[in-house]
Amino acid sequence: MKRFTYAAIAIGLLSSAASSAQVEWRGGLCITAQTPVCADDGWAVGQCYLLRYLPANIGDNGNKTRLTFLAQHFAEQFTLDPGNLVGTTFQAVQGTSIGRFGFQSPVTMRIWPQSPQSPTETTRSITLQTRIRDISGLIGCDIDFQGAAVLMPAPAP
């Protein structure tokens, strides 16, 4: 009888852990506009990157919004802690860059528009536009991106 009780408890714990996983969308985004300063560091309209996006307050994502894009030779990750980046107001975020070396820099950004504006754990796909000011710590380098991503399946229990 004890084995059945322990098995029931274990199944309950596993199912609750699976239902409270982080909720992540993956896809791609491309540069649609930039200020001239950006070209000096190799940014160019038309360049595209892999995208990982974890909005705040969905599943186990906590109250942080995290947006990451990955290229062949570098990655950029932006965290707003706490908060939501969707809206017309630019917000200060922590930017982390990894390439030949890694560093952090304060940048401002917004995601506007995003469709749907308020995704849930079951939203299949998201489209978004984002503007990042002073990307990679480059003062005056402002970049607009257009992106789309699909919901990643929850990990198997």
Side-chain angles (χ1 to χ4, degrees):
M1 183 66 173
K2 285 184 181 180
R3 286 185 184 179
F4 294 115
T5 303
Y6 292 139
I9 290 170
I11 290 170
L13 290 174
L14 288 174
S15 64
S16 66
S19 67
S20 61
Q22 288 189 327
V23 180
E24 177 179 2
W25 284 265
R26 293 185 191 175
L29 75 166
C30 299
I31 297 175
T32 56
Q34 69 181 50
T35 55
V37 171
C38 304
D40 295 341
D41 201 48
W43 299 99
V45 171
Q47 289 176 335
C48 297
Y49 308 97
L50 298 174
L51 167 68
R52 296 180 81 164
Y53 179 44
L54 288 86
N57 303 316
I58 300 176
D60 267 357
N61 291 1
N63 61 359
K64 296 179 184 180
T65 295
R66 293 175 298 243
L67 185 140
T68 305
F69 61 88
L70 306 141
Q72 184 174 0
H73 301 291
F74 73 93
E76 299 278 345
Q77 201 272 325
F78 306 95
T79 302
L80 177 62
D81 182 10
N84 185 338
L85 284 167
V86 178
T88 58
T89 303
F90 284 90
Q91 299 185 62
V93 301
Q94 183 64 55
T96 302
S97 302
I98 300 172
R100 287 175 285 182
F101 51 90
F103 62 93
Q104 293 187 321
S105 60
V107 300
T108 58
M109 67 182 292
R110 70 176 184 200
I111 297 173
W112 186 256
Q114 174 180 286
S115 180
Q117 188 169 344
S118 300
T120 68
E121 293 181 27
T122 59
T123 301
R124 300 285 302 145
S125 63
I126 293 178
T127 60
L128 56 89
Q129 292 179 25
T130 184
R131 171 169 276 200
I132 303 172
R133 293 180 174 163
D134 301 331
I135 195 167
S136 297
L138 298 171
I139 304 302
C141 178
D142 302 343
I143 299 181
D144 292 347
F145 294 95
Q146 175 84 36
V150 296
L151 180 64
M152 293 307 300

